[in-house]
Amino acid sequence: MNVDIGNALDTSPGVSRDGLERLDRRVERAHGRIQEGRERGEHGFAALNLPERCDPREVEDTVAPFGDPRAVVTVGIGGSALGAATFSAALESDVDAYFLDNVDPAHARRLLSSLPLEETVVNVVSKSGTTAETLANFLVVRDAMQRASVDWTDRTFVTTGPSGNLRELAAKHDLPALDVPEGVPGRFAALSPVGLACAAIQGHDVEAILEGGSAAADRLDRAGAGSLFETPAYAYGAVTYALAQRGAGVNAVMPYAESLETFAEWFAQLWAESLGKDGLGQTPARALGATDQHSQLQLYRAGPRDKLVTLLRPTERPDLEIPETDLEGLSYLGGSTLGELLDAEFEATEASLAAAGRPSVRIEIDRVDERSLGELLYAMEAACVLHGDLASVDTFVQPAVEWGKRAARGLLGGGEFPEAEAVRDKETLIVDGN
C-alpha cells in the first residue's frame, strides 16, 4: 500500500512542503503517545493491536459446525456490521451475505421472505448485548425461523461482550459465542471476530486479513515510523488533519473499484464518529469512480473550496477486453480494456482536480484481496487515531451517538431519559401538502 500526498501540496485549501515538515515534528510526538497507548492496551489504542491479538483459528473453529450454508445474515449496526460488510462486498464467495443493520420493516420483511432460512446462519453482534436495533431485528429473525419450522438455536451464534442479554442468551441455549475485544470501540473492530466471523463463514482467508493488518502495524513499530514521510497511515492522517485545519471540511472518498464501494461506508463511520467533536471534524462523503465523475466531480472541481478528494484504487485487477468497433469516434477504444479505461478515468479525475488547484490524495493497494484489505483498514484506523491526536479530540468516544440511543430508548418506554423529553419538546412548523 502507498499514499501519494503530492496533489495536496500548494492547492486551495492545501499545505506546503515546509508546513508538512513542521507538522512532522508533531506527528513524531503523537506517534509516541500512540505507541504508549498500544503498549498499555489503553481503551481505543488497543484496536491497533488486534492483528496480533485476534486468533483466526478461534473464529474459524466457532463457525465450522455450521458447515456449508447458502447464506449468512449479520444482525448488527454501525461498527458491528460495516467491517464485515466491507470484506463481504470486496471478496467473492459462494455464500451470500446479508446485513440487517437498520430497522426498516420493509427491508427486513423482503429479506426474510427471500432467504432459505433452513440453510442460513445468523450472527448477532452487539458488545453490550443491549443495542435496541440489533435485538429487535434478532427477535424478528428468530420469529421468522420459528414460523418456518427452523430450529433457530442450530443456526445462530453471537458475538458479544462478557455480559449482557446476548451472553445470557448464548448460555441459556448453548449457542456458539465469539468475544468482542475489550477496549475496542465498534468502529475499530473490523480486524476482530466482529468483522471476521462473516468472512470465515464465506470461506475467506481470515489469517491473510490479519497478516495485512500486521504488515501495516509493523510500519508503526519500525525505527523512524514516527514520520509522516515514512509511514503511509501517518501521511494520510497528517495531511487530512492539515487540510481540515485549512478549510477542507469535507473528505470525499472515491474508490475506483465497485468491490470497494462498501469500504467507503465503513470509512465514513470511522471518520465521522471518531473526529466529529468540539466543533471539529471532517465530513466524509462517498463517491464511486468512474460513476461519480459524471456527477459529483463537478462540485469537487468547481464548487466551494472546502473539500479533499481521496482517490483509491488497486494496482492489479482482473481485466476485460473492449471489442473492436467501426463506430465513428469510438474506434480508439477497440483493443484496449475496461481496466485501462478505468485507470485513465482515475488519472483524468486526479489531473482535473490538480488543474483546478483542488487537493486530492491517492491511495493504492496491490489488489482487492484479503491481505490488502487488512492492510488498508488498519492503515485508515491508524490515520484516524493520528488525526484525532493532532486535533486534540477524544477519538474513541461518541457522546452524540449515545445521546440518540438514550432518546430512542426513552421514547420506546425503556426507562426515564431526559433526552426523550427533548424529542417530545421539539418545535414544529408543519407545511401540509394535503
Side-chain angles (χ1 to χ4, degrees), residues 153-201:
T153 63
D154 287 340
R155 311 301 303 164
T156 302
F157 71 103
V158 304
T159 306
T160 191
S163 61
N165 293 328
L166 286 184
R167 185 62 66 176
E168 293 171 7
L169 184 78
K172 179 178 179 180
H173 296 282
D174 196 25
L175 305 178
L178 287 166
D179 296 330
V180 173
E182 287 293 321
V184 177
R187 59 191 175 277
F188 286 90
L191 300 180
S192 80
V194 173
L196 298 176
C198 178
I201 291 174

Side-chain angles (χ1 to χ4, degrees), residues 335-353:
S336 60
T337 68
L338 289 181
E340 290 169 344
L341 177 58
L342 190 59
D343 282 340
E345 299 274 14
F346 178 100
E347 290 162 14
T349 296
E350 188 176 54
S352 172
L353 292 166

